[in-house]
């Protein structure tokens, strides 16, 4: 499971042009989700409102994703990747 998750979120480890493209595609998916939430009358989730997003807020979201999700998973993979529990 850990290997599959790491392969799913590995774009920050790819060449910069690929990482940037993935960031654009993921952010567009988030914006579409925010638009659907708004259409259904739900509050728009943080980071998914195209109308209020800025380059800085998107960049901060990407940095947080790398810092709090990608890096810890890759560290776990590095230390526990061969364990049958993962």
């Amino acid at each position: 499971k850990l290997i599959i998750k790491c392969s799913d979120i590995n774009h920050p480890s790819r060449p910069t042009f690929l990482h940037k493209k993935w960031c654009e595609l993921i952010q567009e998916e988030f914006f579409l989700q925010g638009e659907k939430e708004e259409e259904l009358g739900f509050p728009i989730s943080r980071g998914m409102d195209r109308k209020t997003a800025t380059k800085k807020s998107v960049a901060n979201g990407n940095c947080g994703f790398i810092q709090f999700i990608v890096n810890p998973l890759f560290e776990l993979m590095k230390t526990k990747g061969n364990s049958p529990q993962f």
Side-chain angles (χ1 to χ4, degrees), residues 47-77:
M48 298 190 185
D49 191 346
R50 189 185 306 268
K51 297 173 197 161
T52 61
T54 64
K55 285 185 178 186
K56 183 176 181 178
S57 68
V58 171
N60 286 342
N62 288 330
C63 288
F65 173 72
I66 292 167
Q67 182 178 1
F68 297 110
I69 305 295
V70 176
N71 287 346
L73 275 177
F74 275 74
E75 285 298 316
L76 185 61
M77 180 69 176

Side-chain angles (χ1 to χ4, degrees), residues 5-24 26 62 65-66 70 74:
K5 191 58 172 168
C6 285
S7 67
D8 183 45
I9 61 169
N10 76 359
H11 67 88
S13 68
R14 310 306 296 166
T16 302
F17 77 96
L18 288 175
H19 170 60
K20 285 182 177 183
K21 184 63 177 174
W22 273 107
C23 286
E24 291 169 9
I26 292 166
N62 288 330
F65 173 72
I66 292 167
V70 176
F74 275 74

